[in-house]
Amino acid sequence: MSTIPMGRGGWVRPLCWSAVLLDGFDLVVLGTITPVLLSDKVWGYTPSVAAAVSTAGLAGMTIGALTIGTVTDVIGRRRSLLVAVAGFSFFTLLCAFAPSAGTFGVLRFLAGLGLGGCLPTAITLVTEYSPKGRNGGPTTLVMTGYHVGAVITALLGILVIPSLGWRAMFVIGAAPALVLLPLMWKYLPESPSFTRDAAQGLEPVKSLLRPEFRRSTLAFWVTSFMGLLLVYGLNTWLPQIMREAGYPLGAALSLLLVLNLGAIAGLLVAGRIADKVALRPVTLGWFAGATITLALLSIRLPSVILYVVVLLAGVFVFAAQVLVYAYVGRMFPAANRATSLGWTAGVGRLGAIAGPILGGALLSAGLAFPWGFYAFALVGGLAAISVSLVERRSAVAEVTGGSAVGGGIGQ
């Protein structure tokens, strides 16, 4: 892994970035159409139905991350990513023609299965086509696609829904596959690491809880759960919590935009620093930064300072979770790298479900401000503690002939 393979290897990052962008679309698309479904009483839509549909999609992503991430270590990264993108796009297109809320929820679940496999497979490929010594930069750069996709989808919602209706959003979400899948079929290479270590059956799954990996595996799972709880909890409830604190709606919505702009900046900065320093201290530092900034938001701050703190919260919260993925990609050997990423992302998706539930419970109890930020700060602190429990290891970066060889991952 000391050099990037020539030829089609140059396509890996842009194609994987495009696949991750689909995750960003999915993060925001329900938020753009739900107000329309509620106000127009489509299918008798209610807030409880909306919550059930959202949970169905996240459940699909959880199962998809666990299964496709595992299958990737058996059938290969290239084929897994093709299947994931094709599956997500097909069922997303069918969402545009859903005749009922029940069917819509089922289709969101099925689309989630494909989408859940995109992220761990894309990160695995990017990791294995990155030069030695690049600890976080390639992963964080690819993950900017997540937030770019979210911003683009939010803007499309403003432009498209009033003129073409909510169903058009799902047609648009499926359309990239018409270009992306042919490009992936022609230019996306298989990982040389997989070629060496193919046909292992369920061995990658079993290996995650072997003595040499068990502590790190469990620590990464807990950290990912906490990290995605923050990502989805804040994206879902930040505007409403700010309104509970007395800020006007316009300011509350603009704070959500600032949060995600901070996320993009944080990904670029965190990756560069991780390449120069090491993943372990940078990941710890980023979760610590998330804890501090979230705690500061519990105070009513002057407008300028508030925007700065929210920007910094975006810098730390979102990049911290991506650094976890980068850390996992460097911590585990090629033989079970995609499986470890898939299970880390899959367990994290449970946190993605818990985050909105936590925020909603605090809002219902009238405790959203300041206790919502106290709770989120506590989650950030627990994530910092759990990632600190990952074992220090420097000899699992590559596998040849089934055994780990020295490689150093800059912990």
Side-chain angles (χ1 to χ4, degrees):
M1 206 161 59
S2 60
T3 60
I4 300 176
M6 300 298 291
R8 294 189 300 167
W11 283 87
V12 169
R13 289 188 198 175
L15 291 176
C16 289
W17 185 91
S18 300
V20 170
L21 183 142
L22 299 177
D23 209 334
F25 164 85
D26 200 79
L27 173 68
V28 173
V29 68
L30 275 187
T32 65
I33 70 163
T34 295
V36 177
L37 296 179
L38 291 172
S39 63
D40 293 350
K41 295 182 172 56
V42 179
W43 308 315
Y45 220 64
T46 64
S48 60
V49 173
V53 169
S54 176
T55 301
L58 289 169
M61 285 188 239
T62 301
I63 297 172
L66 295 175
T67 56
I68 296 180
T70 301
V71 167
T72 296
D73 277 326
V74 179
I75 69 171
R77 288 71 161 115
R78 180 177 184 274
R79 278 185 285 181
S80 292
L81 194 55
L82 281 165
V83 169
V85 171
F88 165 76
S89 301
F90 175 70
F91 289 112
T92 293
L93 178 62
L94 291 185
C95 285
F97 305 98
S100 66
T103 302
F104 185 56
V106 170
L107 291 172
R108 288 288 300 162
F109 172 82
L110 294 173
L113 292 176
L115 186 61
C118 284
L119 188 144
T121 308
I123 292 178
T124 300
L125 264 172
V126 168
T127 298
E128 292 173 349
Y129 272 90
S130 297
K132 182 179 177 180
R134 299 292 301 278
N135 294 315
T139 300
T140 54
L141 180 61
V142 165
M143 284 299 293
T144 60
Y146 179 80
H147 296 283
V148 171
V151 171
I152 290 174
T153 305
L155 293 174
L156 283 172
I158 296 171
L159 298 173
V160 170
I161 293 176
S163 57
L164 299 178
W166 65 269
R167 294 180 187 271
M169 291 296 293
F170 291 100
V171 176
I172 293 172
L178 296 175
V179 176
L180 184 56
L181 285 172
L183 288 175
M184 290 172 64
W185 181 267
K186 184 174 182 179
Y187 295 111
L188 188 68
E190 183 52 86
S191 167
S193 298
F194 168 76
T195 302
R196 285 197 303 270
D197 300 292
Q200 299 175 68
L202 294 176
E203 185 59 27
V205 181
K206 296 176 182 177
S207 70
L208 296 182
L209 294 178
R210 285 180 177 171
E212 64 267 32
F213 293 122
R214 185 183 301 125
R215 177 172 153 182
S216 295
T217 294
L218 295 176
F220 280 131
W221 287 356
V222 172
T223 306
S224 183
F225 178 93
M226 300 297 177
L228 281 179
L229 188 156
L230 293 179
V231 168
Y232 279 79
L234 287 171
N235 260 320
T236 302
W237 293 117
L238 179 65
Q240 190 60 35
I241 293 176
M242 290 291 98
R243 292 200 70 190
E244 293 287 318
Y247 297 99
L249 177 60
L253 292 174
S254 64
L255 286 171
L256 185 60
L257 176 61
V258 169
L259 183 78
N260 280 281
L261 290 175
I264 296 173
L267 288 169
L268 296 174
V269 172
R272 187 173 293 272
I273 295 175
D275 283 344
K276 293 182 179 298
V277 184
L279 276 167
R280 185 184 185 89
V282 176
T283 307
L284 279 167
W286 244 250
F287 274 115
T291 302
I292 293 169
T293 52
L294 290 170
L296 286 174
L297 288 175
S298 67
I299 305 169
R300 285 187 173 84
L301 300 168
S303 294
V304 174
I305 297 177
L306 174 64
Y307 277 91
V308 171
V309 174
V310 169
L311 181 74
L312 290 173
V315 166
F316 288 115
V317 169
F318 297 94
Q321 175 62 21
V322 176
L323 286 168
V324 173
Y325 295 143
Y327 200 171
V328 172
R330 292 293 181 181
M331 188 71 182
F332 288 83
N336 63 0
R337 182 174 293 131
T339 301
S340 61
L341 279 164
W343 280 73
T344 299
V347 173
R349 295 289 184 181
L350 299 177
I353 297 172
I357 293 174
L358 173 62
L362 291 169
L363 279 164
S364 299
L367 300 173
F369 187 87
W371 288 98
F373 290 119
Y374 293 154
F376 286 137
L378 175 62
V379 170
L382 291 174
I385 293 172
S386 60
V387 80
S388 72
L389 297 177
V390 174
E391 290 191 57
R392 296 177 182 272
R393 186 182 292 112
S394 60
V396 297
E398 199 53 82
V399 170
T400 303
S403 60
V405 295
I409 59 174
Q411 293 187 61

